[in-house]
Amino acid sequence: MSRAETDPGDEPNRQGWRVRARMRYLYHGSSPAAVRFRLAVIVVDFAIIGFFLAAPILREAGWAFYVVDIIVALVLAADLTARALAYTDIKDWLKRPSTWIDLFILATLMFPQSLYNFGFLRMLRLWTLLSSDFFWRTVGRKFDDTRVEEVTRALAALVTFVFVATGFVYATFRARHEDLHGYLDALYFTVSSLTTTGYGDITLPGNWGRVLSIIIMLTGITLFVRLAQTLVRPHKVRWPCDQCGLQKHEPDAVHCKACGNALCIPDEGH
């Protein structure tokens, strides 16, 4: 037996490859065990998002809040580590915007006192989850590349914006406005501004308050329009044309509308 076959220095390397292979199997595999694992991860993700949503209220619980905060940080750190190991190229994984968002969310959990004012960005986790291939390969396999996926993504963007904007208003203006007492008041202001109802009983002070109100109104209108478009416009399937590269076509298209190349899009359910 050669030295290379018995060198104990190779054992940690083999262990590392086995761990990465296991993570790839769980995060990217199609077996029932892998799907059940990913479903459990998604359930935990929604529980974490629920904690983020209730954090402004739970913070009043004192030390118990920080205990839960650290537990959530450890769970999120373990999940991110496992995802990195499951990815073929970690450097490529680190270049993904969703990865940077998750890492920043982790930082706000690990340093809740110093980064508390940035806690409103934690709700971006909802958008990264519902926009990820991880979610649609696990929960929405039969809805992948359908109108259901388009509507869900548009709705996720709208809901995420509402709570991110609410958190920002609450963290920035709660001590500067006599009528802005709690998180519910901030949510009330955001929704009334986003829908351009503008009741007027709560307005943000100063020029920056006006600028923020304008941003909420314009962004809200844009997201509402996008949601309405996904509900009423004809659905298209992802079927790249091998001639011009056009990505989406009508489900019953026979030829590419850009170059006229013949397509062979399978019927739904086949």
Side-chain angles (χ1 to χ4, degrees), residues 32 34-45 134 138-139 141:
V35 173
R36 286 194 298 269
F37 171 81
R38 292 199 297 273
L39 283 172
V41 171
I42 290 172
V43 169
V44 172
D45 266 330
F134 177 85
T138 306
V139 175
R141 284 175 293 174

Side-chain angles (χ1 to χ4, degrees), residues 19 108 110 187 206 219 251 269:
V19 170
T108 65
M110 296 181 67
L187 178 61
T219 307

